[in-house]
Amino acid sequence: MILLLEGIVMCFLLLIVCVIGIANGPVNLVVLYEDDVQERVVELGLITKEQIKKNFIITCIALFAPIFIVTPYMVYGINGATGFWDGFWQMTIILWIAGLFDRFFIDWYWVGKTKAWIIPGTEDLLPYIPRNVLIRKWVGTIVGYPMMAAMMAGVMLLF
């Protein structure tokens, strides 16, 4: 039960990053879009390449800091995990919960079914998450998150 709650915390943190990121329009999170959309947004004068680079750094910090700080803290600090395997499986479950939220709620519903992420002038480039990217995201969720959990569990053994 605690892992479910911790997974929901991670979902909430991801949601907050996205909500803040698109608060003044989705152009600010164009770093999450494919290159063709980014190029079009620059051509339309909605953002500069320099601002995209700056937003990329901010977005990476905002997305990955909770994964690499909050998740191990919850597992080792709150749950009292000891050793590699205990930490690994707990972090994997938490990250999978957040990953499923990202794939289903954010990617499939919010980006794919609502107008919240549509950038005017790029509608001809829809869907913003093409099939090959969606497949890579699913592989990243299913395989990549356990790899990150293994890395974090290994690092936690050093402490």
Side-chain angles (χ1 to χ4, degrees):
M1 183 62 163
I2 188 78
L3 293 178
L4 177 61
L5 291 174
E6 291 167 340
I8 291 170
V9 166
M10 294 303 292
C11 295
F12 181 73
L13 293 173
L14 174 61
L15 182 64
I16 291 295
V17 170
C18 291
V19 167
I20 292 170
I22 69 165
N24 294 319
V27 171
N28 291 319
L29 281 185
V30 76
V31 299
L32 301 177
Y33 294 66
E34 293 303 295
D35 290 342
D36 57 343
V37 178
Q38 292 181 26
E39 290 168 13
R40 176 75 59 82
V41 171
V42 170
E43 287 172 13
L44 293 170
L46 300 174
I47 197 168
T48 64
K49 287 185 180 187
E50 293 74 28
Q51 188 62 45
I52 291 175
K53 289 176 187 175
K54 179 182 171 188
N55 289 357
F56 175 77
I57 293 167
I58 294 167
T59 302
C60 284
I61 292 168
L63 290 174
F64 289 107
I67 290 173
F68 292 115
I69 296 170
V70 177
T71 305
Y73 174 74
M74 289 188 295
V75 168
Y76 287 93
I78 296 172
N79 300 356
T82 57
F84 176 85
W85 289 109
D86 196 24
F88 166 74
W89 76 263
Q90 288 186 47
M91 285 190 282
T92 297
I93 298 299
I94 292 167
L95 293 176
W96 273 344
I97 292 168
L100 290 174
F101 175 79
D102 192 6
R103 299 292 74 80
F104 285 114
F105 177 75
I106 294 179
D107 289 348
W108 178 77
Y109 176 72
W110 199 14
V111 175
K113 305 289 182 195
T114 73
K115 296 179 181 180
W117 291 80
I118 293 179
I119 300 171
T122 65
E123 294 88 351
D124 61 311
L125 301 174
L126 289 168
Y128 289 134
I129 306 173
R131 184 177 173 84
N132 64 325
V133 173
L134 191 59
I135 291 168
R136 283 196 318 260
K137 286 179 159 213
W138 272 101
V139 169
T141 297
I142 295 167
V143 177
Y145 280 171
M147 290 172 60
M148 287 177 17
M151 181 190 68
M152 290 185 290
V155 167
M156 292 306 292
L157 288 179
L158 302 174
F159 296 106

